[in-house]
Amino acid sequence: MTVNVDPRWLFVKTCQDLLGKSKSPDYYEKLRMAGLVRHLIVGPRSLLSMVNRESELPLEFWFREPGEDATAWQGPMGFDASRRELASGVVQRTGREAFLASRVVHCHQWLSVEQLLTTVAHAYGGFLSDVPHGLSREAIVAVDVAIQEGGAGPISIALQEITGVVLRALIPLANPSGEPKPRVRPEPTAAAAAAPGCPFSGKLPT
């Protein structure tokens, strides 16, 4: 079978997969969101880089970054600035790189969005070669301890908040007329049309 997958189709399908996981109460799904978010937005070979070449369409990541004082931090709830949560921090509307570098969770030290995604992928996603940069051994151990807390712990909440920010930022890249069709034979019906509203198959959870 000849397969020629359109990156835009894969981009939309990955967003749909991420949206589905964000609605699930299963902790496994929450941890797996880290890998999907990394695939979407981290690095020069991310799906975002392949679909939005040379930043043709400016994207806005809307989040609430906590201050540097960890003693005043109450947890990652409210990092997604579109959510009606009472949370401390400064609301930011930035591009991808500033979003990836922003503080999101504190485990012995502040972790940026990218550091958290990389740490989860390194420890539990099978990406052993992807070592998080800038984290002390104590911080990595603290992240692991936080992961063991399960779905009610700060890591699960942070991944949920990050996912909300990412999905909203990527909506402008979706084809408003429906999901792009993949160039895959002999299964031309592999892609279903996107549901009305959110281009990633339904309204985003609030």
Side-chain angles (χ1 to χ4, degrees), residues 136-150:
S136 65
R137 177 178 177 81
E138 292 80 7
I140 295 175
V141 170
V143 172
D144 187 66
V145 170
I147 289 174
Q148 301 306 319
E149 295 182 26

Side-chain angles (χ1 to χ4, degrees), residues 22-189:
S22 74
K23 294 178 177 180
S24 172
D26 189 352
Y27 190 39
Y28 167 84
E29 303 280 21
K30 300 307 178 190
L31 290 178
R32 282 303 183 189
M33 290 193 307
L36 289 176
V37 173
R38 288 182 78 245
H39 190 194
L40 278 170
I41 67 172
V42 177
R45 292 297 298 167
S46 66
L47 290 172
L48 174 57
S49 296
M50 288 192 284
V51 170
N52 198 31
R53 295 185 181 278
E54 299 180 359
S55 301
E56 296 172 355
L57 180 64
L59 299 177
E60 182 180 81
F61 292 82
W62 183 23
F63 58 95
R64 185 181 289 104
E65 184 175 23
E68 295 185 15
D69 183 5
T71 62
W73 186 64
Q74 299 177 334
M77 188 72 74
F79 179 77
D80 180 353
S82 69
R83 292 168 57 84
R84 296 187 180 94
E85 297 287 345
L86 293 176
S88 60
V90 179
V91 173
Q92 310 277 6
R93 294 177 182 267
T94 73
R96 171 173 52 174
E97 297 308 317
F99 168 66
L100 289 173
S102 64
R103 294 179 295 277
V104 64
V105 69
H106 192 275
C107 290
H108 188 77
Q109 70 181 75
W110 283 112
L111 276 76
S112 69
V113 170
E114 184 169 1
Q115 285 173 326
L116 177 60
L117 297 174
T118 303
T119 302
V120 174
H122 172 76
Y124 291 92
F127 296 93
L128 297 181
S129 60
D130 294 341
V131 179
H133 297 291
L135 294 186
S136 65
R137 177 178 177 81
E138 292 80 7
I140 295 175
V141 170
V143 172
D144 187 66
V145 170
I147 289 174
Q148 301 306 319
E149 295 182 26
I155 302 303
S156 175
I157 295 171
L159 292 174
Q160 184 76 19
E161 296 287 312
I162 289 169
T163 295
V165 175
V166 169
L167 286 175
R168 285 179 175 84
L170 298 184
I171 283 176
L173 280 175
N175 185 341
S177 63
E179 178 185 341
K181 295 181 179 180
R183 295 191 296 271
V184 179
R185 296 183 178 85
E187 298 176 325
T189 60

